[in-house]
Amino acid sequence: MRETVVSTPFGRRPMTLALLARQVANKEIPSRDTSKWQVFQHVREAREHLGATDRSLAILNALLSFHPEAILSTKTGTIVWPSNEQLCGRANGMSLATLRRHIAILLDCGLILRRDSPNGKRFARKGEGGSVVQAYGFDLAPLLTRAEEFRRMAETIVAERQALKVLREQLTICRRDIVKLIGSGRDGNVPQNWDDLEERYRDVIARLPRKATKPLMETINADLDALRLEITNALKSFVNAADLSRSESQSETHKQESNPDSQSESKIDFRKRIEASLELRTSPRPRNPSKPVLPLTVVLDACSNLRGLAQGGEIRDWRGFSAATTVVRSMLQITPSTWQDACVSLGEQQAAVTLGAIYQRSEQIGNPGGYLRTLSRRAKAGHFTPAPMIMALRRNGTELIDTAMSVEQPASEPTEHAPMIEEIPISDALLRSLAQSHTLRSKMRRNLIRP
């Protein structure tokens, strides 16, 4: 037989009772085979419970790479004998001092054993055919002996980690629900001490550390579930009470109206006529937003500045007109809420025409957004349409602000005879309305100038 020495003395560690017990326990290696990388994966999952570190596992990975087979068994042997330089190289250039410190950790964790030669060197004696007869170095037998233990430990840790993840998700959902329920109760003026409930919620959350254990997470989740149930029951009670009151009121009203002796048919018809009359007086003037205020040619003549914002300098249809007013909204800093309110009050197309008229005289308007909101409020009351604004811009360059705000009478819906252009006949009613507007504007100016 020939003797091959592949390492230098590594350094002696005192034999403790724990190391001696591990060596005795690993003398009887089980006959079953184990994948070395599978058992390494289990050890990596359970490293915190075993007391191993990331660097010590890097050394264990390097030691396993020196084992020639993918299977750990008694037939292939469990001892490897790499030199310190080879171990440092495969452990990503780890220093020798660090190597020794983390090999000691592997020994303390019972993941490897040391098989020392008489001279303290790591080597192997090979016989005929290159088979290893005797080897001295690091024994990987604990990985084979404790493979089942490592597997159960890894499965338990993975299950606990998954359970902890589920608890965290439940905690997040419960916290979000409680915050929303408290906000809904306050917004709905539900009679409840919401400040006290919010303080209790904060006290429970304050007990949650940055890294919580499973028992603590279960306790906090139970407390939050109880608090959420209490808030939910309070809201349900309030809603049920409101529904019951509403149902009783509707039932009583139904009984009174369904009694044939209480009211005669003539009285019922009279009441309906009164209600319809009140509805017509109090409701805003009905509008049809789908119809344009004026023909597009009339609007473009009055709002000529919009042509410069269109692609190609020409607006051919209402779609192109709306696209140009979209640019105007950005230029005049019209907020989305203001524009939405204008579209609801006037209709999208009439709102676009109004905005085009405002842009035509934007130099004379200090706050276009506020001005558009004022016109929207007047339109809700049925006291404004953009037709007089457009006609004022076409006639004599009348200032926009005075003309629009001077229309006090409810404006009529544009009809076939409404567009007031030179090629189309102008109705007498609209001429009288414009004359009244000019007269009112003149009076307002005289009052402003009068000392």
Side-chain angles (χ1 to χ4, degrees):
M1 291 186 299
R2 58 189 179 85
E3 180 177 318
T4 305
V5 179
V6 296
S7 181
T8 58
F10 180 74
R12 308 289 295 179
R13 292 184 75 245
M15 178 61 68
T16 62
L17 292 177
L19 292 176
L20 182 60
R22 292 193 188 100
Q23 288 189 3
V24 173
N26 285 278
K27 282 185 177 180
E28 296 181 1
I29 302 176
S31 58
R32 62 179 179 275
D33 299 341
T34 302
S35 170
K36 64 179 183 181
W37 299 120
Q38 184 65 46
V39 70
F40 176 74
Q41 177 66 23
H42 294 160
V43 170
R44 186 168 61 180
E45 292 288 349
R47 64 183 181 274
E48 294 183 0
H49 289 256
L50 293 172
T53 61
D54 294 338
R55 288 202 168 188
S56 61
L57 290 184
I59 296 173
L60 180 60
N61 182 75
L63 289 173
L64 289 172
S65 67
F66 284 105
H67 190 273
E69 302 294 335
I71 301 298
L72 290 175
S73 66
T74 55
K75 298 178 181 179
T76 58
T78 58
I79 299 176
V80 292
W81 53 93
S83 64
N84 294 343
E85 290 75 10
Q86 289 173 327
L87 274 177
C88 291
R90 294 200 182 183
N92 302 322
M94 187 179 296
S95 66
L96 186 59
T98 305
L99 179 70
R100 288 173 176 167
R101 185 170 64 254
H102 289 286
I103 283 182
I105 293 176
L106 291 177
L107 292 170
D108 293 337
C109 294
L111 298 176
I112 61 174
L113 294 174
R114 178 182 283 134
R115 302 298 183 185
D116 290 333
S117 64
N119 60 0
K121 295 183 179 181
R122 296 193 293 274
F123 64 91
R125 288 192 177 95
K126 296 184 179 180
E128 296 180 359
S131 60
V132 177
V133 177
Q134 191 174 14
Y136 299 97
F138 296 108
D139 194 351
L140 303 175
L143 298 179
L144 184 59
T145 305
R146 304 175 61 188
E148 187 64 21
E149 176 190 350
F150 294 150
R151 183 188 65 80
R152 291 194 301 268
M153 190 180 298
E155 289 178 353
T156 303
I157 292 174
V158 171
E160 290 180 354
R161 186 184 303 154
Q162 183 64 28
L164 194 60
K165 181 180 179 181
V166 172
L167 286 174
R168 288 197 187 98
E169 292 176 353
Q170 293 176 355
L171 177 65
T172 302
I173 294 174
C174 192
R175 291 179 62 178
R176 184 173 57 201
D177 291 346
I178 291 175
V179 171
K180 289 183 178 180
L181 290 172
I182 292 177
S184 300
R186 283 177 169 169
D187 294 340
N189 295 324
V190 178
Q192 192 72 17
N193 191 351
W194 298 111
D195 293 336
D196 180 63
L197 293 173
E198 186 174 1
E199 186 65 25
R200 288 167 54 189
Y201 165 73
R202 291 178 179 176
D203 291 341
V204 175
I205 296 301
R207 290 157 39 200
L208 184 65
R210 187 171 184 181
K211 289 185 178 181
T213 60
K214 182 181 176 182
L216 181 58
M217 290 284 291
E218 291 175 348
T219 303
I220 293 178
N221 265 345
D223 294 342
L224 289 179
D225 283 337
L227 182 60
R228 178 173 59 180
L229 182 60
E230 181 181 349
I231 298 174
T232 303
N233 290 337
L235 293 177
K236 285 183 178 179
S237 299
F238 178 77
V239 172
N240 293 336
D243 291 342
L244 181 61
S245 177
R246 189 181 304 109
S247 300
E248 292 177 353
S249 176
Q250 292 176 354
S251 177
E252 184 68 21
T253 304
H254 177 71
K255 290 179 181 179
Q256 293 178 0
E257 293 182 352
S258 61
N259 187 0
D261 299 331
S262 61
Q263 294 179 352
S264 63
E265 184 177 357
S266 60
K267 291 182 178 180
I268 295 175
D269 294 338
F270 178 76
R271 188 186 70 251
K272 289 182 178 180
R273 289 196 299 269
I274 293 297
E275 291 178 353
S277 176
L278 291 174
E279 181 179 0
L280 288 177
R281 292 181 183 180
T282 58
S283 300
R285 179 185 49 83
R287 298 181 301 272
N288 187 1
S290 61
K291 293 183 179 180
V293 180
L294 292 172
L296 180 61
T297 54
V298 177
V299 177
L300 290 178
D301 288 343
C303 307
S304 57
N305 292 345
L306 288 175
R307 299 180 186 273
L309 303 179
Q311 294 183 355
E314 185 177 0
I315 299 176
R316 299 181 179 179
D317 50 20
W318 286 107
R319 180 178 300 178
F321 186 85
S322 298
T325 55
T326 302
V327 179
V328 170
R329 284 159 48 193
S330 177
M331 296 174 61
L332 298 182
Q333 299 180 352
I334 304 296
T335 62
S337 60
T338 301
W339 177 247
Q340 182 66 26
D341 186 48
C343 291
V344 172
S345 304
L346 291 162
E348 185 173 356
Q349 202 165 34
Q350 295 191 29
V353 172
T354 304
L355 188 59
I358 293 175
Y359 177 68
Q360 186 68 22
R361 287 293 183 269
S362 58
E363 296 179 356
Q364 304 174 8
I365 301 176
N367 185 2
Y371 186 53
L372 182 59
R373 285 193 297 270
T374 301
L375 297 182
S376 300
R377 288 194 298 267
R378 294 175 60 82
K380 286 182 181 179
H383 297 162
F384 171 76
T385 57
M389 299 173 63
I390 298 300
M391 300 312 300
L393 289 173
R394 296 187 75 246
R395 294 168 57 94
N396 304 328
T398 306
E399 294 187 10
L400 178 64
I401 301 177
D402 296 338
T403 304
M405 299 302 296
S406 63
V407 183
E408 298 294 342
Q409 300 297 328
S412 59
E413 191 67 25
T415 61
E416 299 178 338
H417 307 288
M420 296 181 296
I421 58 176
E422 297 178 358
E423 295 79 9
I424 301 176
I426 302 176
S427 64
D428 296 333
L430 188 54
L431 287 176
R432 288 193 299 271
S433 177
L434 290 176
Q436 293 175 0
S437 300
H438 286 292
T439 302
L440 180 59
R441 189 188 69 253
S442 300
K443 292 180 178 179
M444 292 174 61
R445 288 182 175 177
R446 286 196 299 270
N447 292 333
L448 291 175
I449 298 173
R450 183 179 301 170

